[in-house]
Amino acid sequence: MINSAKYMDVIDSRIKPQLQEHFPNGDCVLQQDLAPHTTKVVQRHYEASNIKVMEWPVNSPDIAPIENLWAIIKSRLQNLDSTTKEKVIKSVLEVWKSDPDIQKICEN
């Protein structure tokens, strides 16, 4: 476990220098790992450091966006008729086009 003070030290000593090196004009969004640091003090530290943080589902199954998309689709399909291949395809497309969580990930 890492507390907020230690994490802010990581931000200052590791994350900020890497972001400045790879994105000198600041046009990036930080994607956190599986344990997003959401304490108010850390969020204020991100803001004070001008670091944009991607909104991310808590306890996401993987940090790869496609894994999160598939996890959402799979959970939504449990509530839809998926008894044939055609119905699965129709349901996946319906979820993909209309689910707000998927839209949010795609926008980011």
Side-chain angles (χ1 to χ4, degrees), residues 42-106:
V42 170
Q43 294 304 313
R44 285 193 297 266
H45 193 71
Y46 279 132
E47 290 171 14
S49 300
N50 293 318
I51 298 174
K52 294 181 220 161
V53 179
M54 179 183 284
E55 292 184 33
W56 204 246
V58 177
N59 297 323
S60 60
D62 194 335
I63 60 173
I66 194 67
E67 297 297 329
N68 290 300
L69 292 172
W70 280 119
I72 292 169
I73 289 171
K74 284 172 63 175
S75 74
R76 301 309 192 261
L77 288 179
Q78 292 176 357
N79 301 323
L80 300 173
D81 184 6
S82 302
T83 55
T84 67
K85 178 181 176 181
E86 290 77 21
K87 289 180 180 181
V88 169
I89 293 170
K90 182 180 176 187
S91 295
V92 167
L93 291 173
E94 179 183 321
V95 169
W96 182 267
K97 292 177 184 177
S98 63
D99 190 275
D101 293 330
I102 289 178
Q103 299 305 313
K104 192 173 190 178
I105 291 172
C106 290

Side-chain angles (χ1 to χ4, degrees), residues 18-28:
Q18 294 234 347
L19 292 177
Q20 290 168 349
E21 177 183 348
H22 297 289
F23 302 96
N25 52 355
D27 60 345
C28 69

